[in-house]
Amino acid sequence: MKHFLIALAIIFFGMGTAAAADVDQYKGTWTYSSAGTGEINKIVITGSGKYDARIFEKCSSGNCDMGKYNCSNALTAGYLFTSYQNDASKRDLRLTPVNTSTLEVKVHTSFTDSSGSPATDKTYTFRRLVVQQQQTPRPAEQPDLKPMDRVSPRP
């Protein structure tokens, strides 16, 4: 019985560790370099347990910050979900990690203005932005200094 309980504890501990590793796959800065004007080109996912996504769209002045939005936690299904609205449309995003460096983003856009434009569905592949850590230079090694002998002036 003791061996069974130990094995069961190891299994549950392993499951918790694996789930935590999967959760960390979402966090980070994700970019889509081929975005056209009005398309999402950057997503920054932060949080622990509850996640937020800061959405950026490409615009004429560069990156336009569309705001920070809560993500619904659908980790058991293998994705996060969030949505946001601007003046002309509402966008629903489904964020699914493919691996540690790739995030698949499915975007459903429904237009809320009077343009009559039909809803669209697109899938984008975002890449994790890896920031190189700059190493702090080490101080030069100091030579071993020995105490100097007392110098006494002689007349």
Side-chain angles (χ1 to χ4, degrees):
M1 181 68 172
K2 181 179 177 182
H3 294 294
F4 174 73
L5 292 176
I6 291 172
L8 195 59
I10 290 171
I11 290 170
F12 282 123
F13 175 75
M15 287 173 57
T17 304
D22 290 342
V23 167
D24 285 340
Q25 283 187 15
Y26 293 98
K27 293 177 8 178
T29 300
W30 302 89
T31 60
Y32 177 67
S33 60
S34 300
T37 301
E39 290 184 318
I40 299 168
N41 64 346
K42 185 165 108 175
I43 300 172
V44 180
I45 300 174
T46 57
S48 180
K50 290 185 177 182
Y51 295 92
D52 295 313
R54 182 165 291 282
I55 310 293
F56 296 85
E57 289 184 0
K58 185 175 182 179
C59 57
S60 59
S61 61
N63 284 343
C64 291
D65 187 345
M66 302 308 291
K68 187 175 186 179
Y69 303 93
N70 295 325
C71 295
S72 66
N73 195 341
L75 294 178
T76 54
Y79 63 89
L80 293 177
F81 177 85
T82 192
S83 64
Y84 70 97
Q85 188 163 347
N86 60 26
D87 292 338
S89 63
K90 178 179 185 271
R91 292 197 169 155
D92 299 322
L93 282 67
R94 182 176 172 161
L95 313 167
T96 308
V98 175
N99 54 45
T100 58
S101 62
T102 307
L103 184 71
E104 180 183 81
V105 179
K106 292 187 177 184
V107 180
H108 174 78
T109 304
S110 51
F111 293 91
T112 56
D113 61 1
S114 59
S115 68
S117 299
T120 61
D121 290 298
K122 294 184 179 180
T123 301
Y124 303 95
T125 301
F126 280 69
R127 301 282 181 217
R128 185 185 299 273
L129 182 64
V130 179
V131 178
Q132 296 292 329
Q133 295 289 332
Q134 195 171 24
Q135 291 185 336
T136 305
R138 289 182 156 182
E141 288 194 31
Q142 298 293 323
D144 289 335
L145 300 176
K146 296 181 181 174
M148 295 180 66
D149 291 334
R150 183 182 279 179
V151 177
S152 55
R154 294 189 185 195

